[in-house]
Amino acid sequence: MLPPDSHVHSQWSWDALAGSMERSCLRAVELGLPSVAFTEHADLTPWRLSPGVKVPEEWNPLLVDSVLTPPPLDVGGYHECLERCRERHPGLRILSGVELSEPHWHRARAAALLDAGAFERVLASVHSAPTAAGDGFTEVSARYDDQSPAQVVRAYLAETVRLIQQFESFEVLAHIDYPVRHWPADGKPYDPYDFEEEYRHVLRCLATAGKVLEVNTRVPLRSEVLAWWREEGGQAITFASDAHDPDAVARGFGDAVGMAEAAGFRPGRDPHGFWSRG
């Protein structure tokens, strides 16, 4: 049996244009997953877009003077949809959830959302970085336009440490290697050992805080990072497709499970729970 997919987006995430909670549930049932968590985006930081950047037509209403402001999560509509899916798929455990972007920058808004949503799974992530001009924020990968890959990754990991240290109300750190998704093709290939010290610092802080590391398969997490997690005292992991369309649910989980087992992590008695150190 594959493990639960603990990070899935549906139509309730503003950027999941092909998302569907119902079809994602059908895919999870087809794969035999024990459970799935719909951790919808709560992106609280507006992004300034670089000149010439094109966005999907559906996002045009979110743009004002080249600044994209993600809409708030429709908590009521989301929960109604979740309950309908639970009724239709009683054999699949369906968890409510949210992915908070930079919640340490927006503590009051994040707290209000968590109070209103009563989510069963709370992820925290960093998607944003200061613009080169210092006039706001942009999506992390946009900084490859004016910074070296090493600078982008080190700044991202430093901000992730600040997130862990300044915001307590989350369970799971999402995609610790997020900048790798858009790694420049014309530069030196990505090597996690180039950032081992910085990764270990994040992982040590995460372990000290008693949080869980996500094994994200959208760009497969490197086995070295998972080994460092165990060495730095990490106790538990989740598996995450970060799917934005139903076909991507649990994608890459077979390989991720093998990697996790090789690193010494095992499922517990609860098929819906975290994997822990063996």
Side-chain angles (χ1 to χ4, degrees), residues 18-70:
S20 166
M21 188 180 290
E22 170 61 21
R23 289 191 289 114
S24 292
C25 289
L26 289 171
R27 180 59 176 158
V29 171
E30 178 185 2
L31 293 170
L33 300 187
S35 58
V36 62
F38 287 101
T39 52
E40 309 296 356
H41 277 298
D43 291 330
L44 307 175
T45 306
W47 287 342
R48 181 168 293 281
L49 304 184
S50 301
V53 169
K54 302 294 184 183
V55 300
E57 183 178 342
E58 292 87 344
W59 296 359
N60 286 336
L62 308 177
L63 276 171
V64 177
D65 295 331
S66 298
V67 174
L68 188 153
T69 301

Side-chain angles (χ1 to χ4, degrees), residues 1-268:
M1 178 183 292
L2 292 174
D5 194 336
S6 296
H7 184 165
V8 175
H9 298 283
S10 74
Q11 71 270 30
W12 300 100
S13 287
W14 65 275
D15 66 335
L17 300 180
S20 166
M21 188 180 290
E22 170 61 21
R23 289 191 289 114
S24 292
C25 289
L26 289 171
R27 180 59 176 158
V29 171
E30 178 185 2
L31 293 170
L33 300 187
S35 58
V36 62
F38 287 101
T39 52
E40 309 296 356
H41 277 298
D43 291 330
L44 307 175
T45 306
W47 287 342
R48 181 168 293 281
L49 304 184
S50 301
V53 169
K54 302 294 184 183
V55 300
E57 183 178 342
E58 292 87 344
W59 296 359
N60 286 336
L62 308 177
L63 276 171
V64 177
D65 295 331
S66 298
V67 174
L68 188 153
T69 301
L73 175 61
D74 179 356
V75 175
Y78 163 77
H79 275 292
E80 289 176 6
C81 185
L82 198 78
E83 290 304 320
R84 289 195 299 271
C85 286
R86 285 170 171 168
E87 292 173 1
R88 293 170 182 166
H89 304 283
L92 176 68
R93 184 171 180 185
I94 304 172
L95 300 178
S96 65
V98 67
E99 181 183 3
L100 298 169
S101 296
E102 301 87 43
H104 59 308
W105 298 350
H106 311 277
R107 297 179 64 88
R109 290 175 62 193
L113 177 60
L114 294 180
D115 287 344
F119 301 104
E120 296 168 285
R121 183 62 48 82
V122 179
L123 314 182
S125 59
V126 174
H127 295 113
S128 307
T131 62
D135 57 351
F137 297 90
T138 188
E139 197 270 333
V140 166
S141 64
R143 293 308 308 269
Y144 286 127
D145 294 341
D146 61 87
Q147 288 186 318
S148 71
Q151 288 175 304
V152 172
V153 172
R154 289 194 171 98
Y156 166 83
L157 292 173
E159 193 59 54
T160 302
V161 169
R162 287 188 283 271
L163 162 61
I164 297 165
Q165 293 176 337
Q166 297 174 17
F167 187 80
E168 298 179 355
S169 301
F170 74 98
E171 282 183 297
V172 179
L173 177 67
H175 48 59
I176 191 174
D177 57 350
Y178 179 75
V180 181
R181 294 184 180 184
H182 302 284
W183 188 265
D186 58 352
K188 177 186 175 184
Y190 166 71
D191 184 347
Y193 283 105
D194 291 339
F195 312 103
E196 180 177 357
E197 180 180 348
E198 290 84 358
Y199 272 123
R200 284 185 178 273
H201 184 37
V202 174
L203 296 168
R204 194 159 48 247
C205 291
L206 193 68
T208 300
K211 306 301 184 183
V212 178
L213 179 69
E214 177 184 275
V215 177
N216 194 296
T217 62
R218 189 164 174 180
V219 171
L221 183 70
R222 290 284 293 267
S223 61
E224 295 91 337
V225 178
L226 190 55
W228 297 336
W229 171 235
R230 183 180 175 89
E231 291 170 8
E232 295 297 339
Q235 297 296 314
I237 61 172
T238 64
F239 295 88
S241 67
D242 205 347
H244 283 60
D245 66 84
D247 289 342
V249 169
R251 182 174 291 166
F253 273 27
D255 290 340
V257 164
M259 181 180 70
E261 291 175 339
F265 290 91
R266 299 289 184 271

